[in-house]
Amino acid sequence: MKKDKVVEIEEAVVRFAGDSGDGMQLTGSLFSDSTAFAGNDFATFPDFPSEIRAPQGTVSGVSGFQIHFGHKSIYTTGDLADVLVAMNPASLIANLKWVKNDAILIVNSDEFTDKNLEKAGYLTNPLDDETLSGHLVVQVPLNTLTYEAVKELDLDNKSVMKSKNMFALGIIFYLFNRDYTKTYSFFENKFKKNPLVVEANKKVLQAGYNFAETLEVIKNTFRIEKAELEKGRYRNVTGNQATAWGLMAAAERSGRNLFLGSYPITPATDILQELAKHKQFTCITQQAEDEIAGIVSTIGASYAGSMAVTTTSGPGLSLKSEAIGLAVMTELPMVIVDVQRGGPSTGLPTKSEQSDLMQALYGRNGDAPVIVIAATSATDAFYSAYEAAKLAMEHMTPVILLTDGSIGNGSEVFKIIKTADLPPINPPIAKANDPEYKPYKRNPQTLARQWAIPGTPGLRHRLGGLEKEDITGNVSHDPLNHEKMMQLRQEKVDKVADFIPELKIDGNEGADLLVVGWGSTYGVLMTTVEEMQNEGKSVSMVQFKHIMPLPKNVREVFSKFKKIVVCENNMGQFVNYLRMQLPEFRYEQYNKVQGLPFMVSELKQKFESLLNE
Amino acid sequence: MEQKVEPKAITLSKEDFGSDQMVKWCPGCGDHAILRSVENVFPKVGEQLGYSKEDFVVVSGIGCSSRFPYYMNTYGIHGIHGRPAPLAMGIKLANPKLSVWLISGDGDSMAIGGNHFIHIARRNPDINYLMFNNKIYGLTKGQYSPTTPKGQKTKTSPQGSFEMPFNPGELVIGARGKFFARALDSNPKLMQEVFLAAALHHGASIVEILQNCVIFNNKIHALITNKETKDDNQIVLEAGKPMLFGKEKEKGLKLEGTKLKVVTLGKDGVTLDDILVHDPTTDDAGIHMMLASMAPPEFPAAFGVIRSVESETLEDAVWNSVEHEKATSPIKNMDDLMNSGNTWEIE
Ligand code: SF4
């Protein structure tokens, strides 16, 4: 057997692509687990079609999974791939634009039949012409070799073909010097009831690994040093899972039961599914008949004293608008999670966008201010969800937490913390028989009213959507009272600025260019700005997590820079919000609305041209 | 599962629930009588089921009826149009120890809230749902509702409504609801009996109250309520009793083939043995559906508890699962959860 040379590298991007039925998401997540064991930092992103099973072999049915891993901190899922696994011609044609010029392409040559080539839109076989020149093409008859690997087992055709993704995974494991036996326990758990399938998967995975070892085209393999992560215990989380966990941690710390009223919607459903698993934490989840019932039951649960949450995506947020107004009026705490997706209307359900910002800020009848915060990464979703719940309960107001498809479905390495180390949460719960209690009497620091929970002696009161009289909470149509209440509701949200961290500049004050982002673009902006700083460019950045209210020092920060560019995955919603809030500054803008994240290369180009202007 | 609330010795009076707020319904509106009946029933409900006055929550949607929470001295929340059902359900799921009352109207429940209405019937949380049916939109001043009879002229149906109306009872039973009763704003005794029965029933108890809107739909229920015609057009059902009505209780309901028929005792050889005996507790919805559908002039309208079938409530199912998971899950807190599954140490 030949012995390949091991090359040390800093980082790599691997992309798995196949038909929706080829199990690429699973393959990717198993490779992520192995990456975790190898001690690398990483970020992943699944890229799948909105149809569960689009026509087999066509480009619209291609499902992908990308992982970026390395020795240094990884903030993005990677621009272009170093290695692409293509399980059929359609996945090759769809993904070739996402690979580097000299990538390693591992293709299942068995699937490159005339019929499949035609379905994918290839006029000639790319394996036979110049299409792939420059790349290292590894042709693997994956179907044949998978059959070969399990031929002694008494397994039906379908089960055999279902395990062929493991052959591809075996090859990638070899390429990155991974221990494939670590994956065995996954098979043993997943197929507990079917030992034959466990055996088959093990055999196929091993066969893939061994096959790669014998391949002449593979001259060397790669090793990436363990990442320089802080000491501690780690795990892998997706953003949706982290959101759910942050919420549960907030419930635990606040001593309130968690209630979730929600309706399934891509890409937010995972949060509902995750919370539904944890009844042991008295986590009550209600899958409602529609989005409206989802939030309205949440309002009811909040009134009854639960830490109440509803989760949705853009179209669902539209349906919830009226009810959010009721939550504003009744001044009840709740977290509304919007995992944004491509819009408008049904838009691009499985793609990511940041285009619900204005809806979150203003999409209600009347002036109805709420706190709006945005998570900056999959792991940050944990902390953002926790903070959203804390702010909601301590300030007695709905909070909209914006994440998006890239955060929700993306995964990252998460450092496990102790729940006790999270900041405490102290909701202003009214005491039984308090003679001073008045439904709309406020705490002077926060302007929050008290939370008087049904069942408590001596605090009976009525809430509702009609305007309430200041302090007493009686229904009131008095013009001056209405104006006062409008101001109080706004002031209450504005005052939250006293309780959130100030904006932090990454880089030098007074650099030639300040890059501004919000939410999920943090990783890619950070990577770009760091690279440019290392090249000696005068660029700094700030990333907004708190949108309503803005951190107190924004004006001070902005005034230190001559040029400001606001980057976001929409048509310019945050930049226009800033133009409204802080009109004294001039803002350049850079927008990408393709349902795809920014790439470092395109950002660099933009920033360089701004620097050269 | 048994009632969650431990009976505690509670004494309550009507005054415990009276509010100091000015009641702003039109003089003569049927809502006033309903309010009085509810005030009279709450003390009994509290005493019989062990709810203190702070355990009552009154929830509503939008419409004339939905001002109700403001006129009761209880915990209360006045929601948005059509959505009282999920509001009440959220409260009950969050705290099953509360006695949750939902007040709604035909516009609120049958039109904009129609979806929630059928789902609350199906899900069966222990909520008492009082739906005031005046067959018109009162608060917006006189437009036809989903229960307005076909052909009736209103502001939005100047040529007469073109639409077939809903019968709320049919919806409840069609949605596999377990409790349906009907009452009349002009009969306080019946209202109180029915409201108490609704409270005692463990599950979603949906009560339709035929209510008169004096301003925009006056006398809409006249055929049923008029002195001269009411005996022939009303039947008050009682569990275990034959279904008799008429001034002298001389008429009754008989099952002929698969249909109900109005018969007269002593006529054509009809005896008391021929008359159907009311059984609200049978899960078979056949007869209940026919009773809910009955309407004058062919039949009397049915009142009282038409259907009352015991079945597990939503909150019991949910909270039993919580208790079970608490007892059996090895994961007791967030620290356990974060450290479960695949984790690794960086030295
Ligand atoms: S409009 Fe009709 S229903 Fe409304 S309060 Fe007046 S009488 Fe009652």
Side-chain angles (χ1 to χ4, degrees):
Chain A
M1 206 158 277
K2 77 189 172 64
K3 194 90 195 106
D4 289 319
K5 192 170 112 219
V6 180
V7 178
E8 293 283 341
I9 54 174
E10 282 286 302
E11 57 178 335
V13 177
V14 176
R15 195 172 174 97
F16 297 92
D19 211 61
S20 326
D22 280 340
M24 289 298 100
Q25 303 306 323
L26 175 65
T27 314
S29 77
L30 288 176
F31 187 72
S32 310
D33 288 347
S34 144
T35 306
F37 278 119
N40 297 145
D41 194 9
F42 65 90
T44 74
F45 187 66
D47 181 14
F48 44 78
S50 57
E51 296 84 9
I52 301 301
R53 292 280 153 87
Q56 219 181 359
T58 63
V59 170
S60 59
V62 172
S63 169
F65 185 100
Q66 184 157 311
I67 173 167
H68 182 197
F69 52 108
H71 160 60
K72 294 229 179 75
S73 288
I74 297 294
Y75 296 115
T76 75
T77 51
D79 280 11
L80 300 173
D82 299 289
V83 179
L84 171 71
V85 173
M87 300 294 279
N88 63 7
S91 45
L92 182 66
I93 205 167
N95 285 286
L96 216 47
K97 57 180 173 296
W98 307 123
V99 304
K100 291 186 181 155
N101 292 332
D102 56 351
I104 301 176
L105 308 179
I106 294 164
V107 295
N108 178 5
S109 54
D110 280 344
E111 292 287 335
F112 281 67
T113 60
D114 289 349
K115 201 169 134 221
N116 284 349
L117 288 165
E118 195 193 315
K119 269 201 228 169
Y122 275 120
L123 299 174
T124 57
N125 190 340
L127 303 180
D128 298 337
D129 59 23
E130 295 298 295
T131 315
L132 307 178
S133 63
H135 298 299
L136 176 68
V137 182
V138 184
Q139 294 193 34
V140 186
L142 254 161
N143 302 4
T144 316
L145 293 173
T146 302
Y147 271 114
E148 218 27 50
V150 293
K151 64 170 182 274
E152 314 98 86
L153 299 178
D154 182 22
L155 212 62
D156 60 288
N157 232 337
K158 215 171 135 202
S159 302
V160 175
M161 277 303 97
K162 267 189 153 170
S163 66
K164 71 179 175 195
N165 53 343
M166 291 303 115
F167 198 96
L169 184 61
I171 298 173
I172 301 296
F173 275 174
Y174 176 75
L175 216 49
F176 289 95
N177 282 284
R178 296 284 171 74
D179 178 357
Y180 61 83
T181 59
K182 284 263 197 313
T183 305
Y184 284 0
S185 62
F186 171 82
F187 301 140
E188 282 153 10
N189 267 323
K190 172 143 182 163
F191 307 111
K192 231 181 265 157
K193 294 201 187 84
N194 202 337
L196 204 59
V197 174
V198 174
E199 195 50 34
N201 275 288
K202 284 184 184 173
K203 273 194 185 311
V204 174
L205 181 68
Q206 190 184 10
Y209 189 95
N210 293 343
F211 172 77
E213 203 168 3
T214 63
L215 272 179
E216 283 304 324
V217 284
I218 296 181
K219 301 275 187 267
N220 54 265
T221 63
F222 306 98
R223 192 199 313 279
I224 295 176
E225 263 289 291
K226 275 189 197 307
E228 297 147 344
L229 294 171
E230 224 180 296
K231 227 176 105 174
R233 196 145 197 89
Y234 285 81
R235 65 176 304 127
N236 182 12
V237 290
T238 68
N240 278 338
Q241 183 189 15
T243 304
W245 287 18
L247 293 168
M248 289 192 289
E252 187 174 310
R253 285 291 268 143
S254 65
R256 302 275 103 206
N257 293 334
L258 196 156
F259 178 92
L260 173 76
S262 181
Y263 186 77
I265 183 169
T266 301
T269 316
D270 289 342
I271 307 175
L272 164 61
Q273 289 175 184
E274 179 63 23
L275 290 172
K277 281 190 219 158
H278 298 293
K279 295 274 180 305
Q280 79 275 12
F281 299 154
T282 323
C283 196
I284 308 285
T285 56
Q286 168 69 32
Q287 183 180 315
E289 57 272 31
D290 59 28
E291 294 279 357
I292 298 171
I295 184 164
V296 175
S297 60
T298 299
I299 296 173
S302 171
Y303 183 54
S306 292
M307 190 200 109
V309 183
T310 185
T311 50
T312 190
S313 184
L317 189 64
S318 305
L319 286 164
K320 293 182 196 297
S321 298
E322 186 196 9
I324 298 173
L326 177 64
V328 168
M329 205 65 163
T330 52
E331 304 195 32
L332 285 167
M334 76 198 55
V335 178
I336 299 144
V337 182
D338 174 9
V339 186
Q340 301 167 94
R341 65 190 217 185
S345 188
T346 309
L348 304 171
T350 58
K351 307 290 176 207
S352 194
E353 218 165 83
Q354 297 182 291
S355 48
D356 295 343
L357 180 66
M358 284 296 177
Q359 181 178 216
L361 286 166
Y362 303 114
R364 288 167 290 284
N365 67 306
D367 290 308
V370 299
I371 300 173
V372 178
I373 68 175
T376 56
S377 70
T379 53
D380 179 67
F382 177 85
Y383 296 99
S384 289
Y386 187 88
E387 189 185 7
K390 177 176 161 72
L391 291 175
M393 286 189 278
E394 292 182 347
H395 297 262
M396 293 294 286
T397 169
V399 175
I400 297 181
L401 168 63
L402 295 173
T403 72
D404 58 31
S406 70
I407 286 182
N409 288 323
S411 83
E412 278 180 346
V413 171
F414 176 77
K415 181 162 190 281
I416 297 170
I417 48 121
K418 282 205 177 63
T419 312
D421 293 340
L422 291 165
I425 300 177
N426 297 308
I429 294 171
K431 297 214 168 45
N433 296 315
D434 178 357
E436 303 288 300
Y437 172 75
K438 291 274 183 292
Y440 280 76
K441 206 171 97 179
R442 294 166 195 280
N443 172 315
Q445 265 84 47
T446 58
L447 294 182
R449 62 178 204 91
Q450 283 184 299
W451 200 356
I453 297 166
T456 314
L459 304 178
R460 287 176 292 170
H461 66 283
R462 271 71 45 202
L463 298 178
L466 287 168
E467 183 62 283
K468 297 291 179 288
E469 187 181 63
D470 187 24
I471 302 176
T472 67
N474 291 332
V475 173
S476 166
H477 291 91
D478 180 77
L480 292 178
N481 175 74
H482 176 55
E483 196 162 78
K484 182 171 189 194
M485 293 301 277
M486 297 296 279
Q487 280 158 358
L488 279 169
R489 285 187 286 263
Q490 182 64 56
E491 242 181 275
K492 180 178 73 169
V493 171
D494 292 342
K495 268 191 183 298
V496 171
D498 296 340
F499 299 85
I500 57 174
E502 295 203 326
L503 203 55
K504 199 179 115 278
I505 304 169
D506 280 304
N508 294 328
E509 289 183 5
D512 293 345
L513 179 66
L514 178 71
V515 172
V516 173
W518 66 276
S520 67
T521 53
Y522 173 68
V524 70
L525 293 177
M526 185 67 188
T527 307
T528 311
V529 168
E530 267 187 6
E531 272 184 29
M532 291 180 71
Q533 286 169 348
N534 291 340
E535 290 161 14
K537 302 274 163 52
S538 179
V539 186
S540 296
M541 76 168 279
V542 288
Q543 190 75 10
F544 282 83
K545 175 169 169 158
H546 301 92
I547 313 252
M548 172 68 98
L550 289 166
K552 284 208 277 195
N553 63 334
V554 182
R555 179 168 281 113
E556 186 198 324
V557 168
F558 282 5
S559 62
K560 295 191 166 110
F561 297 90
K562 284 189 285 293
K563 204 172 258 183
I564 300 172
V565 59
V566 181
C567 309
E568 49 187 329
N569 295 129
N570 58 39
M571 301 281 279
Q573 299 188 19
F574 188 56
V575 74
N576 284 324
Y577 175 66
L578 289 174
R579 283 174 184 140
M580 208 160 78
Q581 300 286 322
L582 300 151
E584 63 268 44
F585 301 103
R586 194 186 130 74
Y587 304 91
E588 305 288 337
Q589 66 188 83
Y590 188 46
N591 306 99
K592 179 174 181 181
V593 207
Q594 301 170 8
L596 295 168
F598 283 120
M599 292 207 285
V600 174
S601 53
E602 61 198 10
L603 286 168
K604 243 181 174 172
Q605 213 178 0
K606 174 72 185 175
F607 300 161
E608 265 157 17
S609 81
L610 283 169
L611 283 170
N612 293 334
E613 261 173 22
Chain B
M1 211 178 130
E2 290 305 298
Q3 184 76 26
K4 285 251 178 203
V5 179
E6 289 296 321
K8 35 190 169 180
I10 281 178
T11 31
L12 292 169
S13 73
K14 186 174 176 245
E15 286 65 42
D16 284 320
F17 300 100
S19 141
D20 59 355
Q21 297 292 301
M22 200 213 292
V23 178
K24 291 183 183 162
W25 289 311
C26 306
C29 172
D31 292 358
H32 295 285
I34 306 175
L35 177 64
R36 276 193 300 277
S37 291
V38 171
E39 281 170 358
N40 278 315
V41 163
F42 273 19
K44 292 181 200 148
V45 173
E47 285 167 9
Q48 293 189 31
L49 291 172
Y51 291 116
S52 70
K53 56 182 186 280
E54 280 91 3
D55 293 333
F56 287 85
V57 184
V58 182
V59 175
S60 66
I62 294 289
C64 287
S65 61
S66 291
R67 296 297 171 93
F68 209 94
Y70 295 123
Y71 306 147
M72 298 277 311
N73 186 9
T74 63
Y75 282 98
I77 182 163
H78 176 213
I80 45 176
H81 200 16
R83 324 295 173 197
L87 194 58
M89 207 173 59
I91 293 170
K92 188 70 185 179
L93 275 175
N95 185 358
K97 294 199 183 85
L98 299 170
S99 178
V100 180
W101 293 73
L102 187 162
I103 313 294
S104 179
D106 44 306
D108 200 49
S109 281
M110 300 286 100
I112 188 165
N115 191 24
H116 311 306
F117 184 80
I118 53 175
H119 286 282
I120 201 169
R122 161 180 85 81
R123 289 198 180 106
N124 202 39
D126 188 10
I127 282 166
N128 309 303
Y129 194 132
L130 310 185
M131 205 269 283
F132 303 6
N133 188 2
N134 55 21
K135 307 195 174 183
I136 197 81
Y137 282 81
L139 197 62
T140 50
K141 302 190 173 24
Q143 300 77 25
Y144 70 96
S145 92
T147 56
T148 303
K150 188 171 179 186
Q152 187 181 328
K153 288 188 176 159
T154 71
K155 283 187 187 153
T156 44
S157 56
Q159 300 80 17
S161 159
F162 306 126
E163 302 174 13
M164 279 300 289
F166 272 140
N167 173 327
E170 289 174 2
L171 274 185
V172 172
I173 297 168
R176 312 185 79 175
K178 299 295 182 191
F179 185 103
F180 178 70
R182 198 180 281 136
L184 200 53
D185 62 358
S186 55
N187 185 345
K189 184 170 161 287
L190 176 66
M191 271 197 284
Q192 290 179 39
E193 279 168 17
V194 163
F195 297 169
L196 187 61
L200 295 176
H201 173 75
H202 199 43
S205 311
I206 302 179
V207 182
E208 176 190 12
I209 304 151
L210 301 188
Q211 175 247 335
N212 192 38
C213 169
V214 278
I215 306 295
F216 297 107
N217 215 12
N218 199 19
K219 301 199 163 58
I220 181 69
H221 308 299
L223 205 55
I224 293 169
T225 55
N226 270 355
K227 257 210 176 83
E228 309 77 56
T229 51
K230 77 174 194 202
D231 291 329
D232 288 335
N233 288 329
Q234 281 187 27
I235 180 168
V236 180
L237 299 166
E238 283 179 79
K241 300 262 175 73
M243 300 181 190
L244 293 173
F245 66 106
K247 203 175 179 82
E248 308 293 335
K249 293 270 177 268
E250 75 286 5
K251 295 193 208 177
L253 293 172
K254 183 182 174 214
L255 192 63
E256 222 175 58
T258 58
K259 292 198 173 107
L260 292 180
K261 194 182 171 199
V262 173
V263 292
T264 308
L265 292 175
K267 225 177 170 182
D268 304 322
V270 171
T271 70
L272 198 57
D273 289 344
D274 294 316
I275 306 300
L276 275 173
V277 172
H278 184 44
D279 178 10
T281 64
T282 172
D283 200 20
D284 185 331
I287 303 277
H288 298 161
M289 187 63 115
M290 289 191 259
L291 291 170
S293 306
M294 293 192 310
E298 202 194 335
F299 288 102
F303 291 89
V305 177
I306 293 170
R307 178 173 171 81
S308 176
V309 180
E310 279 301 320
S311 174
E312 186 182 41
T313 66
L314 176 67
E315 67 277 7
D316 280 352
V318 169
W319 281 85
N320 286 343
S321 163
V322 166
E323 294 310 324
H324 177 261
E325 293 297 315
K326 271 191 171 167
T328 55
S329 172
I331 291 170
K332 299 295 180 204
N333 52 44
M334 279 310 293
D335 288 345
D336 289 350
L337 180 62
M338 284 190 272
N339 285 287
S340 66
N342 270 351
T343 65
W344 65 93
E345 195 77 36
I346 302 272
E347 302 289 324

